[in-house]
Amino acid sequence: MTYSYDDQNIFAKILRGEIPNKTVLETKHALAFHDIQPQAPVHVLVIPKGPYVCYDHFALHATPDEIVDFTRAVGEVCKLVGVQAGDNGDGFRLISNSGDNGVQEVPHLHVHVLGGRRLGRMLQKVG
């Protein structure tokens, strides 16, 4: 599959400083910030700084340094916002939507860190 990155997406504009954000954490390869339309008491988005469309694009084409930094940034965000399950937090949900069937709205890899309350089932049972 060929990945086509749109450098005019909202997260690219945030990375360029054209749109403000409420930063939680910034690393060499990642930026984490509060979602402007939170779906839970804790709702933070973590994005790589590189031009990756979705998670599989990132997993297949990012450098090892980018992958490690991004993954560690997610863990640090969980710690910073108090949802880290292994550190007396109540846990969290990590979501990354990809493509049309995954209902991805912004064509830049991002993961949602959601927590602060019981979130219920991720999907309804089929059948």
Side-chain angles (χ1 to χ4, degrees), residues 34-126:
H34 291 280
D35 194 297
I36 61 170
Q37 295 181 325
Q39 303 298 303
V42 172
H43 190 165
V44 176
L45 300 172
V46 186
I47 64 174
K49 290 183 176 178
Y52 300 103
V53 175
C54 54
Y55 203 91
D56 53 301
H57 184 205
F58 179 74
L60 293 170
H61 298 284
T63 67
D65 286 346
E66 288 174 304
I67 293 169
V68 169
D69 184 83
F70 181 77
T71 302
R72 294 237 167 110
V74 170
E76 184 64 21
V77 165
C78 293
K79 185 176 178 181
L80 289 171
V81 299
V83 297
Q84 190 177 28
D87 201 16
N88 296 321
D90 289 327
F92 61 94
R93 179 168 293 152
L94 186 68
I95 298 174
S96 179
N97 302 316
S98 294
D100 290 338
N101 283 353
V103 194
Q104 183 177 5
E105 294 179 5
V106 179
H108 184 111
L109 168 61
H110 56 288
V111 296
H112 300 257
V113 176
L114 299 149
R117 69 169 168 83
R118 186 155 180 83
L119 298 170
R121 295 196 62 82
M122 188 168 66
L123 297 171
Q124 294 178 351
K125 289 184 179 182
V126 178

Coordinates of all heavy atoms in Angstrom, one line a residue, residues 34-126:
H34 N -3.8 17.7 25.0 CA -5.2 17.5 25.4 C -6.1 17.6 24.2 O -5.9 18.5 23.4 CB -5.6 18.4 26.5 CG -5.0 18.2 27.8 ND1 -5.4 17.2 28.6 CD2 -3.9 18.8 28.4 CE1 -4.6 17.2 29.7 NE2 -3.7 18.1 29.6
D35 N -7.0 16.7 24.0 CA -8.0 16.7 22.9 C -8.9 17.9 23.2 O -9.3 18.2 24.3 CB -8.8 15.4 22.9 CG -9.6 15.3 21.6 OD1 -10.5 16.1 21.4 OD2 -9.3 14.3 20.8
I36 N -9.3 18.6 22.1 CA -10.2 19.8 22.3 C -11.6 19.4 22.4 O -12.4 20.2 22.8 CB -10.0 20.8 21.1 CG1 -10.4 20.2 19.8 CG2 -8.6 21.4 21.1 CD1 -10.4 21.2 18.7
Q37 N -12.0 18.2 22.1 CA -13.3 17.7 22.3 C -13.2 16.3 23.1 O -13.4 15.3 22.6 CB -14.0 17.4 21.0 CG -14.3 18.7 20.3 CD -15.0 18.5 19.0 OE1 -14.8 17.5 18.3 NE2 -15.9 19.5 18.6
P38 N -12.9 16.4 24.4 CA -12.6 15.2 25.2 C -13.8 14.3 25.3 O -14.9 14.8 25.5 CB -12.2 15.7 26.5 CG -12.7 17.1 26.6 CD -12.7 17.6 25.2
Q39 N -13.6 13.0 25.2 CA -14.6 12.0 25.3 C -14.6 11.3 26.6 O -15.4 10.4 26.9 CB -14.4 11.0 24.1 CG -14.5 11.6 22.7 CD -15.8 12.3 22.4 OE1 -16.8 11.7 22.5 NE2 -15.7 13.5 22.1
A40 N -13.7 11.7 27.5 CA -13.5 11.1 28.8 C -12.8 12.2 29.7 O -12.2 13.1 29.1 CB -12.7 9.8 28.8
P41 N -12.8 12.1 31.0 CA -12.1 13.0 31.8 C -10.7 13.2 31.5 O -10.1 14.3 31.5 CB -12.3 12.5 33.2 CG -13.6 11.7 33.2 CD -13.6 11.1 31.8
V42 N -10.0 12.1 31.1 CA -8.6 12.2 30.5 C -8.7 11.8 29.1 O -9.2 10.8 28.7 CB -7.7 11.2 31.3 CG1 -6.3 11.2 30.6 CG2 -7.5 11.6 32.7
H43 N -8.3 12.7 28.2 CA -8.3 12.5 26.8 C -7.1 13.2 26.1 O -7.2 14.4 25.9 CB -9.6 12.9 26.1 CG -9.7 12.4 24.7 ND1 -10.9 12.4 24.0 CD2 -8.8 11.9 23.8 CE1 -10.8 11.9 22.8 NE2 -9.5 11.6 22.6
V44 N -6.1 12.5 25.9 CA -4.8 13.1 25.4 C -4.5 12.4 24.1 O -4.7 11.2 23.9 CB -3.6 12.9 26.4 CG1 -2.3 13.4 25.8 CG2 -3.9 13.6 27.7
L45 N -4.1 13.2 23.1 CA -3.6 12.7 21.8 C -2.1 12.6 21.8 O -1.5 13.6 22.3 CB -4.1 13.5 20.7 CG -5.7 13.7 20.6 CD1 -6.0 14.7 19.5 CD2 -6.3 12.3 20.2
V46 N -1.6 11.6 21.3 CA -0.1 11.5 21.1 C 0.1 11.3 19.6 O -0.4 10.4 19.0 CB 0.5 10.3 21.9 CG1 2.0 10.3 21.8 CG2 0.1 10.4 23.4
I47 N 1.0 12.1 19.1 CA 1.3 12.0 17.6 C 2.8 12.0 17.4 O 3.5 12.6 18.1 CB 0.7 13.2 16.8 CG1 1.3 14.6 17.3 CG2 -0.9 13.3 17.0 CD1 0.8 15.8 16.4
P48 N 3.2 11.3 16.4 CA 4.6 11.4 16.0 C 4.9 12.7 15.3 O 4.0 13.2 14.6 CB 4.8 10.2 15.1 CG 3.5 10.0 14.4 CD 2.5 10.4 15.5
K49 N 6.1 13.2 15.3 CA 6.4 14.4 14.6 C 6.7 14.1 13.1 O 6.6 15.0 12.3 CB 7.6 15.1 15.2 CG 7.3 15.7 16.6 CD 8.5 16.4 17.2 CE 8.1 17.0 18.5 NZ 9.3 17.7 19.1
G50 N 6.9 12.9 12.7 CA 7.1 12.5 11.3 C 5.8 12.4 10.6 O 4.7 12.3 11.2
P51 N 5.9 12.4 9.3 CA 4.7 12.4 8.4 C 4.1 11.0 8.2 O 4.2 10.5 7.1 CB 5.2 13.0 7.1 CG 6.6 12.6 7.0 CD 7.1 12.6 8.5
Y52 N 3.5 10.5 9.2 CA 2.9 9.1 9.1 C 1.4 9.2 9.1 O 0.8 9.8 10.0 CB 3.5 8.2 10.2 CG 5.0 8.1 10.2 CD1 5.7 8.9 11.1 CD2 5.6 7.4 9.2 CE1 7.1 8.8 11.0 CE2 7.0 7.3 9.1 CZ 7.7 8.0 10.0 OH 9.1 7.9 10.0
V53 N 0.8 8.5 8.2 CA -0.7 8.6 8.0 C -1.4 7.8 9.1 O -2.4 8.3 9.6 CB -1.1 8.1 6.6 CG1 -2.6 8.0 6.4 CG2 -0.4 8.9 5.5
C54 N -0.9 6.6 9.4 CA -1.6 5.7 10.3 C -0.6 4.8 11.0 O 0.6 4.8 10.7 CB -2.7 4.9 9.6 SG -2.1 4.0 8.2
Y55 N -1.1 4.0 11.9 CA -0.2 3.2 12.7 C 0.6 2.2 11.9 O 1.8 2.0 12.1 CB -1.0 2.4 13.8 CG 0.0 2.0 14.9 CD1 0.1 2.9 16.0 CD2 0.7 0.9 14.9 CE1 1.0 2.6 17.0 CE2 1.6 0.6 15.9 CZ 1.8 1.5 17.0 OH 2.7 1.2 18.0
D56 N 0.0 1.5 10.9 CA 0.7 0.6 10.1 C 1.8 1.3 9.3 O 2.9 0.8 9.1 CB -0.2 -0.3 9.2 CG -1.2 0.4 8.4 OD1 -2.0 1.2 8.9 OD2 -1.1 0.3 7.1
H57 N 1.5 2.5 8.8 CA 2.5 3.3 8.0 C 3.7 3.5 9.0 O 4.9 3.4 8.6 CB 1.8 4.6 7.6 CG 2.7 5.5 6.8 ND1 2.5 6.8 6.7 CD2 3.8 5.2 5.9 CE1 3.4 7.3 5.9 NE2 4.2 6.4 5.4
F58 N 3.4 4.0 10.2 CA 4.5 4.3 11.2 C 5.3 3.0 11.5 O 6.5 3.0 11.5 CB 3.8 4.8 12.4 CG 4.7 5.1 13.5 CD1 5.6 6.3 13.5 CD2 4.8 4.4 14.7 CE1 6.4 6.6 14.5 CE2 5.6 4.7 15.7 CZ 6.4 5.8 15.7
A59 N 4.6 1.9 11.8 CA 5.2 0.7 12.2 C 6.1 0.1 11.1 O 7.2 -0.4 11.3 CB 4.2 -0.4 12.5
L60 N 5.8 0.3 9.8 CA 6.5 -0.2 8.7 C 7.7 0.7 8.2 O 8.7 0.3 7.7 CB 5.6 -0.5 7.5 CG 4.6 -1.6 7.7 CD1 3.6 -1.6 6.6 CD2 5.3 -3.0 7.8
H61 N 7.5 2.1 8.4 CA 8.4 3.0 7.8 C 9.2 3.9 8.8 O 10.2 4.6 8.4 CB 7.7 3.8 6.8 CG 7.2 3.0 5.7 ND1 7.9 2.5 4.6 CD2 5.9 2.6 5.4 CE1 7.2 1.8 3.8 NE2 5.9 1.9 4.3
A62 N 8.8 4.0 10.0 CA 9.5 4.9 11.0 C 10.8 4.3 11.4 O 11.0 3.0 11.3 CB 8.6 5.1 12.2
T63 N 11.7 5.1 11.8 CA 13.0 4.6 12.3 C 12.9 4.0 13.6 O 11.9 4.3 14.4 CB 14.0 5.8 12.4 OG1 13.6 6.7 13.4 CG2 14.2 6.5 11.0
P64 N 13.8 3.1 14.0 CA 13.7 2.6 15.4 C 13.7 3.6 16.5 O 13.0 3.5 17.4 CB 15.0 1.7 15.5 CG 15.3 1.3 14.0 CD 14.9 2.5 13.2
D65 N 14.5 4.7 16.3 CA 14.4 5.8 17.3 C 13.1 6.5 17.4 O 12.6 6.8 18.5 CB 15.5 6.9 16.9 CG 16.9 6.5 17.2 OD1 17.1 5.5 17.9 OD2 17.8 7.2 16.7
E66 N 12.4 6.7 16.2 CA 11.0 7.2 16.3 C 10.1 6.3 17.0 O 9.2 6.8 17.8 CB 10.5 7.5 14.8 CG 11.2 8.6 14.1 CD 10.8 8.8 12.7 OE1 10.9 7.8 11.9 OE2 10.3 9.8 12.3
I67 N 10.2 5.0 16.7 CA 9.2 4.0 17.3 C 9.4 4.0 18.8 O 8.5 4.0 19.6 CB 9.4 2.7 16.6 CG1 8.9 2.7 15.2 CG2 8.7 1.6 17.4 CD1 9.3 1.5 14.3
V68 N 10.7 3.9 19.2 CA 10.9 3.8 20.7 C 10.5 5.1 21.4 O 9.8 5.1 22.4 CB 12.4 3.6 21.0 CG1 12.8 3.7 22.4 CG2 12.8 2.1 20.5
D69 N 10.8 6.3 20.8 CA 10.5 7.5 21.4 C 9.0 7.7 21.5 O 8.4 8.1 22.6 CB 11.1 8.7 20.6 CG 10.8 10.0 21.3 OD1 11.6 10.4 22.2 OD2 9.9 10.7 20.8
F70 N 8.2 7.4 20.4 CA 6.8 7.5 20.4 C 6.2 6.6 21.5 O 5.3 7.0 22.3 CB 6.2 7.2 19.0 CG 4.8 7.3 18.9 CD1 4.2 8.5 18.8 CD2 4.0 6.2 18.9 CE1 2.8 8.6 18.7 CE2 2.6 6.3 18.8 CZ 2.0 7.5 18.7
T71 N 6.6 5.3 21.5 CA 6.1 4.3 22.5 C 6.3 4.8 23.9 O 5.5 4.7 24.7 CB 6.7 3.0 22.2 OG1 6.4 2.6 20.8 CG2 6.1 1.9 23.1
R72 N 7.5 5.2 24.2 CA 7.9 5.7 25.5 C 7.1 7.0 25.9 O 6.7 7.2 27.0 CB 9.4 5.9 25.7 CG 10.1 4.6 25.5 CD 11.0 4.4 26.8 NE 11.5 3.0 26.8 CZ 12.7 2.7 26.6 NH1 13.6 3.6 26.3 NH2 13.1 1.4 26.6
A73 N 6.8 7.8 24.9 CA 6.0 9.0 25.1 C 4.6 8.6 25.6 O 4.1 9.2 26.5 CB 6.0 9.9 23.9
V74 N 4.0 7.6 24.9 CA 2.7 7.2 25.4 C 2.7 6.7 26.8 O 1.9 7.1 27.6 CB 2.2 6.0 24.4 CG1 0.9 5.4 25.0 CG2 1.9 6.5 23.0
G75 N 3.7 5.9 27.2 CA 3.9 5.5 28.6 C 4.0 6.7 29.5 O 3.4 6.7 30.6
E76 N 4.8 7.6 29.2 CA 5.1 8.8 30.0 C 3.8 9.6 30.2 O 3.5 10.2 31.2 CB 6.2 9.7 29.5 CG 6.6 10.8 30.3 CD 7.2 10.5 31.7 OE1 7.6 9.3 31.9 OE2 7.1 11.3 32.6
V77 N 3.0 9.8 29.1 CA 1.8 10.5 29.2 C 0.8 9.8 30.2 O 0.2 10.5 31.0 CB 1.1 10.6 27.8 CG1 -0.3 11.0 27.9 CG2 1.9 11.6 26.9
C78 N 0.7 8.5 30.1 CA -0.1 7.8 31.0 C 0.3 8.1 32.5 O -0.6 8.3 33.3 CB -0.1 6.3 30.7 SG -0.8 5.8 29.1
K79 N 1.6 8.1 32.7 CA 2.1 8.4 34.0 C 1.7 9.9 34.4 O 1.3 10.1 35.5 CB 3.6 8.2 34.1 CG 4.2 8.4 35.4 CD 5.7 8.0 35.3 CE 6.4 8.2 36.6 NZ 7.9 7.9 36.4
L80 N 2.0 10.8 33.5 CA 1.8 12.2 33.8 C 0.3 12.6 34.1 O 0.0 13.4 34.9 CB 2.3 13.1 32.6 CG 3.8 13.2 32.4 CD1 4.1 13.9 31.1 CD2 4.4 13.9 33.6
V81 N -0.6 11.9 33.4 CA -2.1 12.2 33.6 C -2.7 11.3 34.6 O -3.9 11.4 34.9 CB -2.8 12.2 32.3 CG1 -2.3 13.3 31.4 CG2 -2.9 10.9 31.6
G82 N -1.9 10.4 35.2 CA -2.4 9.6 36.4 C -3.3 8.4 36.0 O -4.1 7.9 36.8
V83 N -3.2 7.8 34.8 CA -4.0 6.7 34.4 C -3.2 5.4 34.3 O -3.7 4.3 34.1 CB -4.8 6.9 33.1 CG1 -5.7 8.1 33.3 CG2 -3.8 7.1 31.9
Q84 N -1.9 5.5 34.6 CA -1.0 4.3 34.4 C -1.5 3.2 35.4 O -1.4 3.3 36.6 CB 0.4 4.8 34.7 CG 1.5 3.7 34.4 CD 2.9 4.3 34.7 OE1 3.0 5.1 35.6 NE2 3.9 3.8 34.0
A85 N -1.9 2.1 34.8 CA -2.5 1.0 35.6 C -1.5 0.4 36.6 O -1.9 0.0 37.7 CB -3.0 -0.1 34.6
G86 N -0.3 0.4 36.2 CA 0.7 -0.2 37.1 C 1.2 0.7 38.2 O 2.1 0.3 38.9
D87 N 0.7 1.9 38.3 CA 1.2 2.9 39.3 C 0.1 3.5 40.0 O 0.0 4.7 40.2 CB 2.0 3.9 38.5 CG 3.0 4.7 39.4 OD1 3.3 4.2 40.5 OD2 3.5 5.8 39.0
N88 N -0.8 2.6 40.5 CA -2.0 3.0 41.3 C -3.0 3.8 40.5 O -3.9 4.4 41.1 CB -1.6 3.8 42.6 CG -0.8 3.0 43.5 OD1 -1.1 1.8 43.7 ND2 0.3 3.6 44.1
G89 N -2.9 3.9 39.2 CA -4.0 4.5 38.4 C -5.0 3.5 38.1 O -4.9 2.3 38.4
D90 N -6.1 3.9 37.6 CA -7.3 3.0 37.3 C -7.2 2.4 35.9 O -8.2 1.7 35.5 CB -8.6 3.7 37.5 CG -8.8 4.0 39.0 OD1 -8.4 3.2 39.9 OD2 -9.4 5.0 39.3
G91 N -6.2 2.7 35.1 CA -6.1 2.2 33.8 C -6.6 3.2 32.7 O -7.1 4.3 33.1
F92 N -6.5 2.8 31.5 CA -6.9 3.6 30.4 C -7.2 2.8 29.2 O -7.0 1.6 29.1 CB -5.7 4.6 30.1 CG -4.4 3.9 29.7 CD1 -4.1 3.6 28.4 CD2 -3.6 3.4 30.7 CE1 -3.0 2.9 28.0 CE2 -2.4 2.7 30.3 CZ -2.1 2.5 29.0
R93 N -7.6 3.4 28.1 CA -7.8 2.8 26.8 C -6.9 3.6 25.9 O -6.9 4.8 25.9 CB -9.3 2.9 26.4 CG -9.5 2.3 25.0 CD -11.0 2.1 24.7 NE -11.5 1.1 25.6 CZ -12.8 1.0 26.0 NH1 -13.6 1.9 25.5 NH2 -13.2 0.1 26.8
L94 N -6.3 2.8 25.0 CA -5.4 3.4 23.9 C -6.1 3.1 22.6 O -6.2 1.9 22.3 CB -4.0 2.9 24.0 CG -3.0 3.4 23.1 CD1 -2.7 4.9 23.5 CD2 -1.7 2.6 23.2
I95 N -6.4 4.1 21.8 CA -7.1 3.8 20.5 C -6.3 4.5 19.4 O -5.9 5.7 19.6 CB -8.5 4.4 20.6 CG1 -9.4 3.7 21.6 CG2 -9.2 4.3 19.2 CD1 -10.8 4.3 21.8
S96 N -6.2 3.8 18.3 CA -5.6 4.4 17.1 C -6.5 4.0 15.9 O -6.6 2.8 15.6 CB -4.2 4.0 16.8 OG -3.7 4.6 15.6
N97 N -7.2 4.9 15.3 CA -8.1 4.6 14.2 C -7.3 4.7 12.9 O -6.5 5.6 12.7 CB -9.3 5.6 14.1 CG -10.1 5.6 15.4 OD1 -10.4 4.5 16.0 ND2 -10.4 6.7 15.9
S98 N -7.6 3.7 12.0 CA -6.8 3.7 10.7 C -7.8 3.5 9.5 O -8.5 2.5 9.5 CB -5.8 2.6 10.7 OG -4.8 2.8 11.6
G99 N -7.7 4.4 8.6 CA -8.5 4.3 7.4 C -10.0 4.5 7.5 O -10.5 4.8 8.6
D100 N -10.7 4.2 6.4 CA -12.2 4.4 6.4 C -12.9 3.5 7.4 O -13.8 3.9 8.2 CB -12.8 4.2 5.0 CG -12.3 5.3 4.1 OD1 -12.0 6.4 4.5 OD2 -12.4 5.1 2.8
N101 N -12.6 2.2 7.4 CA -13.3 1.3 8.3 C -12.9 1.5 9.7 O -13.8 1.2 10.6 CB -13.0 -0.2 7.9 CG -13.7 -0.6 6.7 OD1 -14.6 0.1 6.2 ND2 -13.4 -1.8 6.2
G102 N -11.8 2.1 10.0 CA -11.4 2.4 11.4 C -11.9 3.8 11.8 O -11.6 4.3 12.9
V103 N -12.6 4.5 10.9 CA -13.1 5.8 11.1 C -12.1 6.8 11.5 O -12.2 7.6 12.5 CB -14.3 5.8 12.2 CG1 -15.1 7.1 12.1 CG2 -15.2 4.6 11.9
Q104 N -10.9 6.8 10.8 CA -9.9 7.8 11.0 C -10.3 9.1 10.5 O -10.6 9.2 9.3 CB -8.6 7.3 10.4 CG -7.4 8.2 10.6 CD -6.1 7.7 10.0 OE1 -6.1 6.7 9.3 NE2 -5.0 8.4 10.3
E105 N -10.3 10.2 11.3 CA -10.7 11.5 10.9 C -9.6 12.4 10.4 O -9.8 13.2 9.6 CB -11.6 12.1 12.0 CG -12.9 11.4 12.3 CD -13.7 12.0 13.4 OE1 -13.3 13.1 13.9 OE2 -14.7 11.4 13.8
V106 N -8.4 12.2 11.0 CA -7.3 13.0 10.7 C -6.2 12.1 10.1 O -5.8 11.2 10.8 CB -6.7 13.8 11.9 CG1 -5.5 14.6 11.5 CG2 -7.8 14.7 12.5
P107 N -5.7 12.4 8.9 CA -4.7 11.5 8.3 C -3.3 11.7 8.7 O -2.4 11.9 8.0 CB -4.9 11.8 6.8 CG -5.3 13.2 6.7 CD -6.1 13.4 8.0
H108 N -3.1 11.7 10.0 CA -1.8 11.7 10.7 C -1.9 10.8 11.9 O -2.9 10.9 12.7 CB -1.5 13.1 11.2 CG -0.2 13.3 11.8 ND1 0.8 14.0 11.2 CD2 0.4 12.8 12.9 CE1 1.9 14.0 11.9 NE2 1.7 13.3 13.0
L109 N -1.0 9.8 12.0 CA -1.1 8.9 13.1 C -1.3 9.6 14.4 O -0.6 10.6 14.7 CB 0.2 8.0 13.2 CG 0.4 7.2 14.5 CD1 -0.8 6.2 14.6 CD2 1.7 6.5 14.5
H110 N -2.2 9.1 15.1 CA -2.4 9.6 16.5 C -3.1 8.5 17.3 O -3.8 7.7 16.8 CB -3.3 10.9 16.5 CG -4.7 10.8 15.9 ND1 -4.8 10.7 14.5 CD2 -5.9 10.7 16.4 CE1 -6.1 10.6 14.2 NE2 -6.8 10.6 15.4
V111 N -2.7 8.5 18.6 CA -3.4 7.6 19.5 C -4.1 8.4 20.6 O -3.6 9.5 21.0 CB -2.4 6.6 20.2 CG1 -1.8 5.7 19.1 CG2 -1.3 7.3 21.0
H112 N -5.2 7.9 21.0 CA -6.0 8.6 22.0 C -5.7 7.8 23.3 O -5.8 6.6 23.4 CB -7.5 8.4 21.7 CG -8.0 9.0 20.5 ND1 -8.6 10.2 20.4 CD2 -7.9 8.6 19.2 CE1 -8.9 10.5 19.2 NE2 -8.5 9.6 18.4
V113 N -5.3 8.5 24.4 CA -5.2 8.0 25.7 C -6.4 8.5 26.4 O -6.6 9.7 26.7 CB -3.9 8.5 26.4 CG1 -3.9 7.9 27.8 CG2 -2.7 8.0 25.6
L114 N -7.3 7.5 26.8 CA -8.6 7.8 27.4 C -8.7 7.2 28.8 O -8.3 6.0 29.0 CB -9.8 7.3 26.6 CG -9.8 7.9 25.2 CD1 -10.4 6.9 24.2 CD2 -10.6 9.2 25.2
G115 N -9.1 8.0 29.8 CA -9.3 7.4 31.1 C -10.0 8.4 32.0 O -10.6 9.3 31.6
G116 N -9.9 8.1 33.3 CA -10.5 8.9 34.3 C -11.9 8.5 34.7 O -12.5 9.1 35.6
R117 N -12.4 7.5 34.1 CA -13.7 6.9 34.4 C -13.8 5.5 33.7 O -13.0 5.2 32.8 CB -14.9 7.7 34.0 CG -15.0 7.8 32.5 CD -16.4 8.5 32.1 NE -16.5 8.8 30.7 CZ -16.8 8.0 29.7 NH1 -17.1 6.7 30.0 NH2 -16.9 8.4 28.5
R118 N -14.7 4.7 34.1 CA -14.9 3.4 33.5 C -15.5 3.7 32.1 O -16.5 4.4 31.9 CB -15.9 2.5 34.3 CG -16.0 1.1 33.7 CD -16.4 0.2 34.8 NE -16.6 -1.2 34.3 CZ -15.6 -2.0 34.1 NH1 -14.4 -1.7 34.4 NH2 -15.8 -3.2 33.6
L119 N -14.9 3.1 31.1 CA -15.2 3.5 29.7 C -16.2 2.6 29.0 O -16.7 2.9 28.0 CB -13.9 3.5 28.9 CG -12.9 4.6 29.3 CD1 -11.6 4.4 28.6 CD2 -13.4 6.0 29.1
G120 N -16.5 1.4 29.6 CA -17.5 0.5 29.0 C -16.8 -0.3 27.9 O -15.6 -0.2 27.6
R121 N -17.6 -1.1 27.2 CA -17.1 -1.9 26.1 C -16.6 -1.0 25.0 O -17.2 0.0 24.7 CB -18.2 -2.8 25.6 CG -18.6 -3.9 26.7 CD -19.4 -5.0 26.0 NE -18.6 -5.7 25.0 CZ -17.8 -6.7 25.3 NH1 -17.6 -7.0 26.6 NH2 -17.1 -7.3 24.4
M122 N -15.6 -1.5 24.3 CA -15.0 -0.8 23.2 C -16.0 -0.9 22.0 O -16.2 0.1 21.3 CB -13.7 -1.3 22.8 CG -13.0 -0.4 21.8 SD -11.3 -0.8 21.5 CE -11.3 -2.4 20.8
L123 N -16.5 -2.0 21.7 CA -17.4 -2.3 20.6 C -18.6 -3.1 21.1 O -18.5 -3.9 22.1 CB -16.8 -3.0 19.5 CG -15.6 -2.4 18.8 CD1 -14.9 -3.4 17.8 CD2 -16.0 -1.1 18.0
Q124 N -19.7 -2.9 20.5 CA -20.9 -3.7 20.8 C -20.6 -5.1 20.3 O -20.1 -5.3 19.3 CB -22.2 -3.2 20.2 CG -22.6 -1.8 20.8 CD -23.8 -1.3 20.1 OE1 -24.3 -1.8 19.1 NE2 -24.4 -0.2 20.6
K125 N -21.1 -6.1 21.1 CA -21.0 -7.5 20.6 C -21.9 -7.7 19.4 O -23.0 -7.2 19.3 CB -21.5 -8.5 21.8 CG -20.5 -8.5 22.9 CD -20.9 -9.6 23.9 CE -20.0 -9.6 25.1 NZ -20.3 -10.7 26.0
V126 N -21.4 -8.5 18.5 CA -22.1 -8.8 17.3 C -22.9 -10.1 17.5 O -22.3 -11.0 18.0 CB -21.2 -8.9 16.1 CG1 -21.9 -9.3 14.8 CG2 -20.4 -7.6 15.9

